[in-house]
Amino acid sequence: MDGQTHLHITSWVLALILLGLTVWFDRLGKPKVGKVFHMILRLDYLLILYSGGSLIAVYFANGGGAILGEAIVKSLAGLWVIFAMEMIAVRAKKRVSAKSAWIQFFIAIIIALVLGFGRLPMGILPLN
């Protein structure tokens, strides 16, 4: 595991914490504090995209081989996670139901975690 992998994992763990804080403060009725955490979360999305892009670039640079398809699916699932997180944060701010966004979030994060940690060789627990 290299530095980009550590940066990527750290940035999405930070995003999960920031999402929780954003939703929590919006539910407490403190929209200004929630908005601050939401803006920081949006900046963290850029870090996630940068580090994830660097990781998938390694797969493309090495020719990809048999795992290139899985790396692309993992990247798409990662983007899906980001979109779901944004839907959750926006719906929390508007105080409308985010049930469908939460369902999408959990499906996408399971796909991303299984591929990222279990299947792809730059993960922590490769099954290969």
Side-chain angles (χ1 to χ4, degrees):
M1 205 163 60
D2 65 348
Q4 285 298 332
T5 305
H6 285 289
L7 176 64
H8 191 62
I9 292 170
T10 302
S11 61
W12 60 253
V13 167
L14 178 62
L16 293 175
I17 293 168
L18 289 169
L19 176 66
L21 290 171
T22 301
V23 171
W24 188 51
F25 279 112
D26 282 332
R27 286 187 181 169
L28 284 178
K30 298 183 179 191
K32 288 186 180 183
V33 179
K35 186 173 187 167
V36 169
F37 281 112
H38 192 187
M39 290 298 140
I40 297 170
L41 175 62
R42 287 178 174 165
L43 287 173
D44 192 46
Y45 293 156
L46 296 175
L47 190 59
I48 293 169
L49 292 171
Y50 166 74
S51 59
S54 296
L55 289 172
I56 196 162
V58 172
Y59 290 110
F60 279 107
N62 293 336
I67 59 169
L68 184 59
E70 290 181 38
I72 292 171
V73 170
K74 195 275 184 202
S75 298
L76 292 174
L79 289 172
W80 188 13
V81 170
I82 291 173
F83 293 141
M85 289 172 70
E86 185 64 17
M87 285 190 296
I88 291 166
V90 168
R91 289 179 181 182
K93 182 177 77 169
K94 292 181 178 181
R95 295 185 182 265
V96 295
S97 175
K99 185 177 181 180
S100 63
W102 279 108
I103 292 169
Q104 289 185 47
F105 172 76
F106 285 117
I107 292 170
I109 204 163
I110 287 169
I111 294 169
L113 288 175
V114 167
L115 288 175
F117 283 142
R119 292 286 304 161
L120 298 174
M122 292 177 67
I124 295 175
L125 307 168
L127 299 174
N128 304 352

